[in-house]
Amino acid sequence: MSADEHLDPIPDSFILQPPVFHPVVPYVTTIFGGLYAGKMVMLQGVVPLRARRFQVDFQCGCCVHPRPDIAFHFNPRFYTVKPHVICNSLQGGLWQKEVRWPGVTLKRGASFLILFLFESKEVKVSVNGQHFLHYRYQLPLSRVDTLGIYGDILVKAVGFLNINPFVEGRREYPVGYPFLLYSPRLEVPCSRTLPRGLWPGQVIVVRGLILQEPKDFTLSLRDGTTHVPVTLRASFTDRTLAWVSSWGRKKLISAPFLFYPQRFFEVLLLCQEGGLKLALNGQGLGATSLDQKALEQLRELRITGSVHLYCVYC
């Protein structure tokens, strides 16, 4: 894309903030688009062996003085006989009534995955895949635009995601697929085996960042004979996204084109009877048909193109 071209208007809900790897604490960053119901913040890290406490604050601004209001203050404490978490809100420089949550599963010297799931009236927090607490907002969620992380914590990754539209209403939390930290970027082309094919309920997750000068991007599913029953293809020449059949027939997907240089993306494919459902950045975009026998015979997921990959699950 040339420098004089303009990006097409895209709804805020379609835009995802790129993940951050190994930030130095204290760490403060703007939350692109602010917080809204259905947004998730994922925190991966390690609690140091001599940790006393750390805190994750969802703030209304980032000024130093006066101190910004804090809609949600998440504060694990390890220096007491019984480690616990304090939740609170700060308004006008005054802390409100704190809530204490005992039995925290965070442990000194151990790694963790914390998922903050923001709903319309409260935030839910899971630790290592298990629900831990919920906290009702004392301040409007729409005021929150800043994330602050402070204290005794080693942060490996911070991710900003939208809720998985395929599971909402059927379970308390979506699956919190972590970013792969042994290597922040996977090599492209990237291949993943599907030993048993695809079955109803199985989800494919692909997260990445478009390169500065993109040429192409494809996600293809192949069977054992290298036949390619279906491909998801992003065209940077005409800015379209389409399903491509094994005989080359294209079915355009009606959606804003998200694959611009240096933009983060998340592709979700849900296998269901009769085909695959697609979601981009947490927004459902319909489905493509594929019979169950063809789904079961798939043996490889292959990703090619002008992308940095951060996460591939299948």
Side-chain angles (χ1 to χ4, degrees), residues 170-205:
R170 285 185 285 167
R171 62 178 69 174
E172 189 169 24
Y173 287 91
V175 177
Y177 296 98
F179 289 92
L180 303 178
L181 295 174
Y182 54 82
S183 174
R185 294 174 181 172
L186 304 173
E187 290 188 4
V188 179
C190 178
S191 178
R192 290 287 185 270
T193 58
L194 304 168
R196 299 178 58 250
L198 291 180
W199 296 83
Q202 191 170 348
V203 179
I204 292 173
V205 181

Side-chain angles (χ1 to χ4, degrees), residues 43-48 105-114 127-128 154 156 181:
L43 182 63
Q44 292 174 249
V46 175
V47 179
T105 55
L106 295 165
K107 298 185 183 299
R108 287 170 167 167
S111 59
F112 62 79
L113 174 67
I114 302 175
V127 178
N128 298 332
L154 174 62
K156 292 186 174 181
L181 295 174

